[in-house]
PDB file of all heavy atoms in Angstrom:
ATOM      1  N   ARG Q  16      17.817   0.889  -3.445  1.00 97.00           N
ATOM      2  CA  ARG Q  16      17.881   2.212  -4.288  1.00 97.00           C
ATOM      3  C   ARG Q  16      16.795   3.087  -4.039  1.00 97.00           C
ATOM      4  O   ARG Q  16      16.907   4.289  -4.228  1.00 97.00           O
ATOM      5  CB  ARG Q  16      18.156   1.826  -5.712  1.00 97.00           C
ATOM      6  CG  ARG Q  16      19.392   1.173  -6.052  1.00 97.00           C
ATOM      7  CD  ARG Q  16      20.639   1.896  -6.029  1.00 97.00           C
ATOM      8  NE  ARG Q  16      21.002   2.969  -5.170  1.00 97.00           N
ATOM      9  CZ  ARG Q  16      21.823   2.930  -4.161  1.00 97.00           C
ATOM     10  NH1 ARG Q  16      22.530   1.941  -3.790  1.00 97.00           N
ATOM     11  NH2 ARG Q  16      22.071   4.090  -3.407  1.00 97.00           N
ATOM     12  N   THR Q  17      15.618   2.585  -3.845  1.00 98.00           N
ATOM     13  CA  THR Q  17      14.367   3.326  -3.635  1.00 98.00           C
ATOM     14  C   THR Q  17      13.779   3.177  -2.269  1.00 98.00           C
ATOM     15  O   THR Q  17      13.499   2.115  -1.800  1.00 98.00           O
ATOM     16  CB  THR Q  17      13.304   2.876  -4.632  1.00 98.00           C
ATOM     17  OG1 THR Q  17      13.989   2.939  -5.904  1.00 98.00           O
ATOM     18  CG2 THR Q  17      12.179   3.752  -4.529  1.00 98.00           C
ATOM     19  N   ILE Q  18      13.525   4.221  -1.645  1.00 98.00           N
ATOM     20  CA  ILE Q  18      12.973   4.325  -0.162  1.00 98.00           C
ATOM     21  C   ILE Q  18      11.701   5.104  -0.231  1.00 98.00           C
ATOM     22  O   ILE Q  18      11.653   6.229  -0.610  1.00 98.00           O
ATOM     23  CB  ILE Q  18      13.918   5.004   0.744  1.00 98.00           C
ATOM     24  CG1 ILE Q  18      15.330   4.291   0.788  1.00 98.00           C
ATOM     25  CG2 ILE Q  18      13.273   5.112   2.222  1.00 98.00           C
ATOM     26  CD1 ILE Q  18      16.403   5.094   1.536  1.00 98.00           C
ATOM     27  N   ALA Q  19      10.516   4.487   0.135  1.00 98.00           N
ATOM     28  CA  ALA Q  19       9.349   5.089   0.365  1.00 98.00           C
ATOM     29  C   ALA Q  19       9.372   5.623   1.766  1.00 98.00           C
ATOM     30  O   ALA Q  19       9.399   4.776   2.698  1.00 98.00           O
ATOM     31  CB  ALA Q  19       8.204   4.139   0.113  1.00 98.00           C
ATOM     32  N   VAL Q  20       9.055   6.850   2.000  1.00 98.00           N
ATOM     33  CA  VAL Q  20       9.030   7.418   3.336  1.00 98.00           C
ATOM     34  C   VAL Q  20       7.587   7.725   3.752  1.00 98.00           C
ATOM     35  O   VAL Q  20       6.951   8.654   3.278  1.00 98.00           O
ATOM     36  CB  VAL Q  20       9.818   8.788   3.341  1.00 98.00           C
ATOM     37  CG1 VAL Q  20       9.994   9.372   4.808  1.00 98.00           C
ATOM     38  CG2 VAL Q  20      11.349   8.496   2.860  1.00 98.00           C
ATOM     39  N   VAL Q  21       7.035   6.731   4.580  1.00 98.00           N
ATOM     40  CA  VAL Q  21       5.681   6.911   4.995  1.00 98.00           C
ATOM     41  C   VAL Q  21       5.628   7.850   6.265  1.00 98.00           C
ATOM     42  O   VAL Q  21       6.331   7.702   7.211  1.00 98.00           O
ATOM     43  CB  VAL Q  21       5.145   5.625   5.538  1.00 98.00           C
ATOM     44  CG1 VAL Q  21       3.766   5.735   6.019  1.00 98.00           C
ATOM     45  CG2 VAL Q  21       5.216   4.604   4.385  1.00 98.00           C
ATOM     46  N   GLY Q  22       4.742   8.968   5.984  1.00 96.00           N
ATOM     47  CA  GLY Q  22       4.667  10.020   7.077  1.00 96.00           C
ATOM     48  C   GLY Q  22       5.599  11.110   6.751  1.00 96.00           C
ATOM     49  O   GLY Q  22       5.821  11.986   7.717  1.00 96.00           O
ATOM     50  N   MET Q  23       6.067  11.190   5.600  1.00 96.00           N
ATOM     51  CA  MET Q  23       7.023  12.298   5.114  1.00 96.00           C
ATOM     52  C   MET Q  23       6.319  13.730   5.179  1.00 96.00           C
ATOM     53  O   MET Q  23       5.256  13.801   4.902  1.00 96.00           O
ATOM     54  CB  MET Q  23       7.555  12.064   3.784  1.00 96.00           C
ATOM     55  CG  MET Q  23       8.711  13.024   3.416  1.00 96.00           C
ATOM     56  SD  MET Q  23       9.765  12.609   2.158  1.00 96.00           S
ATOM     57  CE  MET Q  23      10.602  14.019   1.890  1.00 96.00           C
ATOM     58  N   SER Q  24       7.101  14.655   5.680  1.00 96.00           N
ATOM     59  CA  SER Q  24       6.549  15.933   5.839  1.00 96.00           C
ATOM     60  C   SER Q  24       7.315  16.861   4.793  1.00 96.00           C
ATOM     61  O   SER Q  24       8.415  16.608   4.497  1.00 96.00           O
ATOM     62  CB  SER Q  24       6.830  16.517   7.226  1.00 96.00           C
ATOM     63  OG  SER Q  24       6.427  17.915   7.213  1.00 96.00           O
ATOM     64  N   SER Q  25       6.524  17.952   4.355  1.00 95.00           N
ATOM     65  CA  SER Q  25       7.197  18.933   3.572  1.00 95.00           C
ATOM     66  C   SER Q  25       7.914  19.927   4.234  1.00 95.00           C
ATOM     67  O   SER Q  25       8.685  20.787   3.711  1.00 95.00           O
ATOM     68  CB  SER Q  25       6.088  19.514   2.591  1.00 95.00           C
ATOM     69  OG  SER Q  25       5.225  20.354   3.324  1.00 95.00           O
ATOM     70  N   LYS Q  26       7.839  19.909   5.538  1.00 96.00           N
ATOM     71  CA  LYS Q  26       8.366  20.838   6.401  1.00 96.00           C
ATOM     72  C   LYS Q  26       9.902  20.575   6.757  1.00 96.00           C
ATOM     73  O   LYS Q  26      10.089  19.392   7.203  1.00 96.00           O
ATOM     74  CB  LYS Q  26       7.642  21.014   7.800  1.00 96.00           C
ATOM     75  CG  LYS Q  26       6.089  21.374   7.661  1.00 96.00           C
ATOM     76  CD  LYS Q  26       5.399  21.364   8.914  1.00 96.00           C
ATOM     77  CE  LYS Q  26       3.983  21.826   8.713  1.00 96.00           C
ATOM     78  NZ  LYS Q  26       3.148  21.600   9.839  1.00 96.00           N
ATOM     79  N   HIS Q  27      10.782  21.509   6.516  1.00 95.00           N
ATOM     80  CA  HIS Q  27      12.206  21.212   6.408  1.00 95.00           C
ATOM     81  C   HIS Q  27      12.778  20.891   7.914  1.00 95.00           C
ATOM     82  O   HIS Q  27      13.735  20.217   7.936  1.00 95.00           O
ATOM     83  CB  HIS Q  27      12.904  22.414   5.844  1.00 95.00           C
ATOM     84  CG  HIS Q  27      12.598  22.752   4.425  1.00 95.00           C
ATOM     85  ND1 HIS Q  27      13.221  22.143   3.425  1.00 95.00           N
ATOM     86  CD2 HIS Q  27      11.682  23.653   3.923  1.00 95.00           C
ATOM     87  CE1 HIS Q  27      12.641  22.574   2.274  1.00 95.00           C
ATOM     88  NE2 HIS Q  27      11.836  23.419   2.578  1.00 95.00           N
ATOM     89  N   ASP Q  28      12.046  21.288   8.922  1.00 96.00           N
ATOM     90  CA  ASP Q  28      12.472  21.114  10.275  1.00 96.00           C
ATOM     91  C   ASP Q  28      12.037  19.750  10.878  1.00 96.00           C
ATOM     92  O   ASP Q  28      12.405  19.366  11.982  1.00 96.00           O
ATOM     93  CB  ASP Q  28      12.118  22.220  11.100  1.00 96.00           C
ATOM     94  CG  ASP Q  28      10.597  22.481  11.278  1.00 96.00           C
ATOM     95  OD1 ASP Q  28       9.857  21.933  10.486  1.00 96.00           O
ATOM     96  OD2 ASP Q  28      10.157  23.004  12.245  1.00 96.00           O
ATOM     97  N   ARG Q  29      11.264  18.911  10.083  1.00 96.00           N
ATOM     98  CA  ARG Q  29      10.823  17.643  10.563  1.00 96.00           C
ATOM     99  C   ARG Q  29      11.850  16.613  10.249  1.00 96.00           C
ATOM    100  O   ARG Q  29      12.426  16.569   9.236  1.00 96.00           O
ATOM    101  CB  ARG Q  29       9.477  17.284   9.772  1.00 96.00           C
ATOM    102  CG  ARG Q  29       8.337  18.246  10.221  1.00 96.00           C
ATOM    103  CD  ARG Q  29       7.926  17.915  11.654  1.00 96.00           C
ATOM    104  NE  ARG Q  29       6.786  18.928  12.148  1.00 96.00           N
ATOM    105  CZ  ARG Q  29       5.568  18.535  12.019  1.00 96.00           C
ATOM    106  NH1 ARG Q  29       5.158  17.440  11.582  1.00 96.00           N
ATOM    107  NH2 ARG Q  29       4.733  19.410  12.531  1.00 96.00           N
ATOM    108  N   PRO Q  30      12.019  15.592  11.237  1.00 96.00           N
ATOM    109  CA  PRO Q  30      13.055  14.625  10.988  1.00 96.00           C
ATOM    110  C   PRO Q  30      12.698  13.731   9.603  1.00 96.00           C
ATOM    111  O   PRO Q  30      13.660  13.409   9.065  1.00 96.00           O
ATOM    112  CB  PRO Q  30      12.765  13.593  12.276  1.00 96.00           C
ATOM    113  CG  PRO Q  30      12.144  14.577  13.298  1.00 96.00           C
ATOM    114  CD  PRO Q  30      11.456  15.507  12.442  1.00 96.00           C
ATOM    115  N   SER Q  31      11.570  13.490   9.296  1.00 97.00           N
ATOM    116  CA  SER Q  31      11.232  12.668   8.086  1.00 97.00           C
ATOM    117  C   SER Q  31      11.807  13.423   6.857  1.00 97.00           C
ATOM    118  O   SER Q  31      12.403  12.848   5.953  1.00 97.00           O
ATOM    119  CB  SER Q  31       9.830  12.618   7.931  1.00 97.00           C
ATOM    120  OG  SER Q  31       9.011  13.831   7.755  1.00 97.00           O
ATOM    121  N   HIS Q  32      11.619  14.792   6.905  1.00 97.00           N
ATOM    122  CA  HIS Q  32      12.235  15.598   5.726  1.00 97.00           C
ATOM    123  C   HIS Q  32      13.802  15.579   5.638  1.00 97.00           C
ATOM    124  O   HIS Q  32      14.433  15.357   4.612  1.00 97.00           O
ATOM    125  CB  HIS Q  32      11.686  17.038   5.777  1.00 97.00           C
ATOM    126  CG  HIS Q  32      11.848  17.831   4.539  1.00 97.00           C
ATOM    127  ND1 HIS Q  32      12.994  18.437   4.258  1.00 97.00           N
ATOM    128  CD2 HIS Q  32      11.060  18.084   3.529  1.00 97.00           C
ATOM    129  CE1 HIS Q  32      13.010  18.914   3.035  1.00 97.00           C
ATOM    130  NE2 HIS Q  32      11.692  18.778   2.567  1.00 97.00           N
ATOM    131  N   GLU Q  33      14.317  15.868   6.919  1.00 97.00           N
ATOM    132  CA  GLU Q  33      15.789  15.814   6.973  1.00 97.00           C
ATOM    133  C   GLU Q  33      16.490  14.645   6.678  1.00 97.00           C
ATOM    134  O   GLU Q  33      17.447  14.501   5.863  1.00 97.00           O
ATOM    135  CB  GLU Q  33      16.206  16.259   8.407  1.00 97.00           C
ATOM    136  CG  GLU Q  33      17.638  16.166   8.630  1.00 97.00           C
ATOM    137  CD  GLU Q  33      17.999  16.469  10.123  1.00 97.00           C
ATOM    138  OE1 GLU Q  33      17.179  17.065  10.905  1.00 97.00           O
ATOM    139  OE2 GLU Q  33      19.062  15.966  10.518  1.00 97.00           O
ATOM    140  N   VAL Q  34      15.844  13.407   7.098  1.00 97.00           N
ATOM    141  CA  VAL Q  34      16.347  12.131   6.783  1.00 97.00           C
ATOM    142  C   VAL Q  34      16.210  11.778   5.339  1.00 97.00           C
ATOM    143  O   VAL Q  34      17.116  11.326   4.741  1.00 97.00           O
ATOM    144  CB  VAL Q  34      15.711  11.083   7.676  1.00 97.00           C
ATOM    145  CG1 VAL Q  34      16.045   9.643   7.180  1.00 97.00           C
ATOM    146  CG2 VAL Q  34      16.048  11.299   9.183  1.00 97.00           C
ATOM    147  N   ALA Q  35      15.095  12.115   4.775  1.00 98.00           N
ATOM    148  CA  ALA Q  35      14.820  11.774   3.356  1.00 98.00           C
ATOM    149  C   ALA Q  35      15.778  12.646   2.495  1.00 98.00           C
ATOM    150  O   ALA Q  35      16.399  12.083   1.448  1.00 98.00           O
ATOM    151  CB  ALA Q  35      13.418  12.027   2.934  1.00 98.00           C
TER     152      ALA Q  35
END
Side-chain angles (χ1 to χ4, degrees):
R16 295 287 29 111
T17 304
I18 303 171
V20 183
V21 175
M23 185 160 173
S24 175
S25 66
K26 297 175 183 171
H27 298 275
D28 61 340
R29 294 288 176 94
S31 62
H32 193 279
E33 178 187 332
V34 168

